[in-house]
Amino acid sequence: MRVSPAGPRVLLRRLREIMAEPINAQDRLDKIVAQIAGNMVAEVCSAYVLRSDGVLELYATQGLKREAVHLASLRIGEGLVGTIAEEARTLNLPDAQSHPAFQYLPETGEEIYNSFLGVPILRAGRTLGVLVVQNRAHRVYVDEEVEALQTTAMVLAEMIAVGELEGLARPGTSLDLKRPISIAGIGLGEGVGLGHVVLHEPRVVVTALIGEDAGHESERLEEAIASLRLFVDDMLQRDDIGDQGEHRDILEAYRMFAHDRGWVRRMHEAIRNGLSAEAAVEKVQSDTRARVQRQVDPFLRERLHDFDDLANRLLRVLMNKPQGPGRSDLPRDAIIVARTMGAAELLDYQRENVRGLVLEEGGPTSHVTIVARALGIATAGRAANVASLVENGDAIVVDGGTGEVHLRPTPDIEATYAEKVRFRAKRQEQYRLLRDIPAETRDGHRIKLMMNAGLLVDLPHLAESGAEGIGLFRTELQFMISSKMPKLGEQTALYGDVIKAANGKPVTFRTLDVGGDKVLPYLRTAQEENPAMGWRAIRLGLDRPALLRRQLRALMQASAGRDLRIMLPMVTEVEEVRRTRALIEREIAHLTRHGHTVPSAVRVGAMVEVPALLWQLDGLFKVADFVSVGSNDLLQFMTASDRGNMMVASRFDPLSRHFLRALRAIVKGAGAAGVPVTLCGEMAGNPLAAMTLIGLGYRSLSMSAAAIGPVKAMTLALDAGKLGAALDSYLDAEDGSDGLRDKLTAFADSEGVPY
Ligand code: PEP
Ligand code: MG
């Protein structure tokens, strides 16, 4: 059997006619396999569809025994058909029965057929079934025949994906496309979200599969590729991209793919076989996905993302769809699913409709995570392959605490999580009742509970949480979510909005803490071996005074006539505070000279987060108006363990003797010097750790808004004096073990302190 170049096109045209006929799904499927067999001069053509229980069921056949339809089945990995499904690859065998995986299904009567060609039915790289042709004669099917069968498999993929075959499923079974799947990701943001999938980069659905005129389709493809290449080149030439960094690497990879000859050739080939230009893009992309997903090399798999993006862009060009995801008709219970996403893109969505976020990538310190947490969105990261496993509109549950993601959950899973949501809401309600009650311990110590912020979206939480002010405003977030350096006016506007929203409550603005893991794509910096200990924060500010002075000016203009609190990150030597103060003085003089109103007072504080500062506390307290302990960095540097590295990040407990001793030295020293001290690292928001801090003598804590309720509930139940005495004895003992968590937990339990 040889198919002429027109063969597949004729076949596709016939299939399109069959698709349009007003007949039921089984009849349509029967006609399709008969048509394929006829066109390919094969004695057998059979379609197997993958069920949710991992079984491939014979759905239609021409040539095998009719009675076997919906009875004959193979498990995934079983026999030739199961092997094709498992490995998502084509098998082309002149003597099928000698293949080690061959398994004879007596009910089908297939023993008389020798040659065998089977292809996976793929959609977005996922296997939905298998399409097979067989002949009696021993023969190898030629490349055009393989290509033709793969192309027709797309028609079946479409039928399965739109749900047309659902009604044919044997009672009690369902198709794999609707199978519930659970993925173990990592929890990135508290809370549980139940809702429906909104793909951040929705797959473009190709409906016109068949191309009438191959020449015309090839031209359309060429034009679209040319416009795609222009787009990528344009992006690379934009000056805000910089010479290096992640952005540029990704775009370079795009350019490489856009010029990949193999890719373009395969698409033209698919067009010659009768597909429309867009169906050709989709087919080649699906094949590539299936192939690369079998690779273990993480680099290759990573590149697949870039390739997917590019194919999606190409489809949009071909189908005249706007680039970028549509945000208009967001369901009220949207769970956004993305491979990866920039922080600004998340902010484009209508906040009130977003119940959750699921990312294939994304770690606890990635920008989008920081924003999602600020928005209170239940978020899970590292959810392997999730974007290819769902369709828009699928039901989904995401647990931001544990990182579990359930696709198309069964009713009992849904019920369990709905209960969890109700429980959480009840607890939140209890915290809300505490909002206007002052945080005071049982023995009368007043504790100031403040919140951390960094974006406009944080500001409504100030009133909702009952925070007494903003203890840490991370100014770098505005810089991180922006694609270019924020101008003086933009900075002033943000700070002005923050001050207005604070409504008289104190706000502590921290100057730019960039460098390390907080990268600005538009700021050129050299590659560093150890960026966390590199040219960052106040070091960068003092070396590049223009950047720092612009920010100081914005802060002063926004606080004209009011008190301004400025805090410096990563201070290592007291001298750095002095030098920054000098810059501040110059800025005040400059503004006064030009007739501006300056702040009524400027207080300058320092973050205590570099261990070297612990031996300069006396000097520090002389020059700083206040200090705030950055326990995240302090622990990272004291224990020499990278806070962003999952292998070591949680290796050392902040509730251990050495670390608490350091924290005690700071609070005692500040108390003796009469300098106000706050702690604003993540531990302040954990009730057990916050309890410990109060026991050590801290009276001011700054945390995420969501933590204020639980920490206040803990505070109200605590006898700080009693804990202080116990802590002193724990800290001064030398009993070998360093961890104090158990002792502190036991204390909280015995005192009835909720944590
Ligand atoms: C810290 O280091 O504890 C801190 C509060 O600052 P950041 O997390 O922004 O480094
Ligand atoms: Mg820090």
Side-chain angles (χ1 to χ4, degrees), residues 510 513 518 536 570 607 609 630 632-633 643:
R510 183 173 70 183
D513 186 8
K518 299 169 181 169
R536 55 173 292 198
M570 285 286 287
M607 295 280 291
E609 51 184 349
N632 303 339
D633 277 320
R643 62 192 264 195

Side-chain angles (χ1 to χ4, degrees), residues 132-432:
V132 173
V133 289
Q134 290 170 282
N135 282 81
R136 275 176 214 254
H138 291 271
R139 61 181 302 275
V140 177
Y141 299 90
V142 297
D143 285 352
E144 295 94 86
E145 289 165 328
V146 174
E147 185 74 25
L149 197 63
Q150 286 172 347
T151 305
T152 47
M154 283 187 76
V155 176
L156 293 180
E158 192 57 29
M159 273 182 89
I160 298 173
V162 300
E164 195 177 344
L165 301 192
E166 233 128 87
L168 305 184
R170 216 191 287 169
T173 68
S174 59
L175 295 190
D176 186 62
L177 198 67
K178 296 285 168 228
R179 174 167 51 106
I181 296 178
S182 297
I183 302 176
I186 56 169
L188 294 178
E190 269 300 306
V192 170
L194 284 98
H196 292 91
V197 169
V198 171
L199 279 166
H200 180 54
E201 291 145 337
R203 271 192 293 281
V204 184
V205 182
V206 179
T207 40
L209 286 176
I210 297 155
E212 285 300 336
D213 174 350
H216 175 65
E217 295 300 316
S218 270
E219 264 168 40
R220 289 182 60 226
L221 179 67
E222 276 305 319
E223 271 169 31
I225 290 175
S227 114
L228 181 76
R229 287 176 181 160
L230 267 181
F231 161 79
V232 176
D233 289 347
D234 262 10
M235 292 281 287
L236 273 160
Q237 266 155 23
R238 273 173 40 186
D239 17 312
D240 55 5
I241 295 293
D243 276 347
Q244 52 208 352
E246 233 176 319
H247 268 66
R248 189 159 199 100
D249 289 352
I250 291 173
L251 286 173
E252 287 290 2
Y254 274 21
R255 170 139 77 181
M256 197 177 82
F257 288 131
H259 289 268
D260 183 305
R261 289 223 199 102
W263 183 44
V264 177
R265 182 178 43 73
R266 285 198 298 278
M267 290 190 288
H268 279 297
E269 223 163 74
I271 288 178
R272 269 197 302 282
N273 281 329
L275 289 185
S276 64
E278 40 275 65
V281 177
E282 189 176 86
K283 174 180 182 299
V284 171
Q285 185 53 14
S286 208
D287 293 349
T288 312
R289 271 200 143 262
R291 200 154 24 91
V292 178
Q293 269 169 8
R294 294 199 305 270
Q295 306 270 352
V296 278
D297 182 348
F299 178 77
L300 268 183
R301 293 174 61 111
E302 188 59 37
R303 294 283 72 83
L304 180 64
H305 292 339
D306 305 339
F307 206 45
D308 269 342
D309 276 349
L310 206 65
N312 235 325
R313 280 196 174 275
L314 194 53
L315 280 179
R316 286 174 189 283
V317 175
L318 279 165
M319 297 174 75
N320 266 331
K321 298 225 174 202
Q323 296 292 345
R327 313 261 190 268
S328 44
D329 45 359
L330 210 57
R332 297 189 62 77
D333 58 353
I335 309 258
I336 316 285
V337 175
R339 292 197 307 269
T340 171
M341 189 194 276
E345 293 175 285
L346 179 59
L347 292 169
D348 280 351
Y349 285 98
Q350 247 171 302
R351 165 64 196 106
E352 54 285 11
N353 286 8
V354 180
R355 295 246 179 108
L357 174 66
V358 180
L359 301 168
E360 285 188 15
E361 294 164 14
T365 58
S366 61
H367 313 167
V368 64
T369 307
I370 296 174
V371 174
R373 207 177 293 142
L375 293 169
I377 295 175
T379 304
R382 307 223 188 127
N385 222 8
V386 66
S388 337
L389 293 173
V390 289
E391 298 281 334
N392 258 333
D394 276 356
I396 182 170
V397 174
V398 48
D399 188 329
T402 63
E404 280 165 274
V405 179
H406 301 279
L407 313 179
R408 301 171 287 270
T410 55
D412 52 329
I413 287 195
E414 215 162 290
T416 308
Y417 277 94
E419 182 52 38
K420 221 170 160 173
V421 169
R422 272 194 293 277
F423 179 73
R424 227 181 104 85
K426 219 185 280 168
R427 228 176 30 193
Q428 293 302 107
E429 190 45 46
Q430 286 161 355
Y431 295 145
R432 247 194 299 283

Side-chain angles (χ1 to χ4, degrees), residues 452 472 474 476 510 513 517-518 536 569-570 607-609 628-634 643 679-682:
N452 295 345
L472 167 64
R474 292 179 162 107
E476 62 273 12
R510 183 173 70 183
D513 186 8
D517 65 330
K518 299 169 181 169
R536 55 173 292 198
M570 285 286 287
M607 295 280 291
V608 181
E609 51 184 349
S628 187
V629 182
S631 52
N632 303 339
D633 277 320
L634 190 60
R643 62 192 264 195
L679 186 140
C680 60
E682 293 307 303

